[in-house]
Amino acid sequence: MTDPVLDAIRRRRVVRAMSDEPIPRERVERILEAARWAPTAGNRHLQRFVATTHPGVLRVLRMVSPGMIQHPTAAITICVDRALAQRYGFPSDARGPSVDVGTAMATMLLAAHALDIGAGPVSSFSRAAVSVVLSLPEGWSPEMIVCLGRPAPTQLAPMVSTRHLGWRDLTRWVPDRPPEAPAQVEE
Ligand SMILES: Cc1cc2nc3c(=O)[nH]c(=O)nc-3n(C[C@H](O)[C@H](O)[C@H](O)COP(=O)(O)O)c2cc1C
């Protein structure tokens, strides 16, 4: 049986070659709406999303982001509202807000895939420069940029191939064998 959600999880790939065809704002809004449903630590929703389709802003974002290989036509920067996290009592080294960035990012990538939009996350950028380019409010730290655009017909090869890795390579069972299924009792 194929399940559309499992199928999308398996088929989604990072897109690092994008055409210059713009994507409608409505699609970006649908991706943002999907990310709103990502799980968050304590259900506090400390992530803040900064969206742009402005060519000038995108160009400068790319200039300060060595990890941005693609030329996106839209981008969503996922920030953490650190000031709000502090008000809610999260310690400064709490894992929750950082994990929330990951849940939002993964949800955006899948939502984009579902909408036939190419998407690629970028973590390699100057936080100070991105904060200035996006005029981020005091207390917001930019953590991840999700690039969006129409996939170009030819994609770049993955930086590192992990085709050999299966879930068994990533997993340990404790104890080392799953429990036996209970024997069927004949009535
Ligand atoms: C935390 C994190 C940071 C990443 N940063 C970048 C980045 O700066 N630039 C980039 O091109 N891809 C980045 N990626 C994407 C990964 O390189 C990509 O997921 C990986 O190569 C596997 O490709 P796939 O998702 O298509 O299977 C990042 C992914 C994660 C989870």
Side-chain angles (χ1 to χ4, degrees):
M1 189 185 76
T2 41
D3 174 89
V5 177
L6 294 179
D7 196 51
I9 289 170
R10 197 175 153 78
R11 286 179 187 280
R12 176 215 59 81
R13 292 281 69 80
V14 162
V15 170
R16 296 198 180 90
M18 296 174 174
S19 79
D20 54 11
E21 186 191 339
I23 54 175
R25 186 183 168 120
E26 168 271 333
R27 296 282 174 101
V28 181
E29 288 177 354
R30 288 187 70 187
I31 293 167
L32 290 161
E33 212 269 335
R36 176 261 172 271
W37 294 104
T40 63
N43 204 16
R44 293 298 198 179
H45 292 274
L46 298 170
Q47 322 102 316
R48 294 293 178 268
F49 308 131
V50 182
T52 186
T53 56
H54 189 282
V57 174
L58 290 166
R59 199 163 40 245
V60 183
L61 268 185
R62 192 164 185 279
M63 284 166 60
V64 298
S65 304
M68 195 181 290
I69 293 154
Q70 53 280 85
H71 290 75
T73 53
I76 302 170
T77 302
I78 305 173
C79 306
V80 171
D81 186 338
R82 302 269 168 206
L84 185 59
Q86 201 175 22
R87 285 209 294 282
Y88 279 136
F90 282 85
S92 59
D93 62 349
R95 280 168 291 160
S98 303
V99 175
D100 294 353
V101 172
T103 64
M105 179 203 75
T107 304
M108 286 183 193
L109 298 186
L110 278 175
H113 176 81
L115 296 167
D116 283 329
I117 302 289
V122 173
S123 59
S124 168
F125 55 80
S126 158
R127 282 179 166 175
V130 166
S131 302
V132 173
V133 175
L134 299 177
S135 309
L136 294 185
E138 190 70 26
W140 289 24
S141 66
E143 303 294 338
M144 183 74 73
I145 302 174
V146 176
C147 297
L148 301 169
R150 297 278 181 205
T154 309
Q155 287 300 311
L156 309 176
M159 294 171 183
V160 181
S161 173
T162 51
R163 290 184 73 84
H164 60 284
L165 268 184
W167 67 266
R168 288 183 183 81
D169 302 305
L170 306 172
T171 307
R172 283 185 67 147
W173 286 98
V174 177
D176 65 353
R177 282 165 167 275
E180 298 293 331
Q184 292 281 327
V185 180
E186 303 238 347
E187 305 220 346

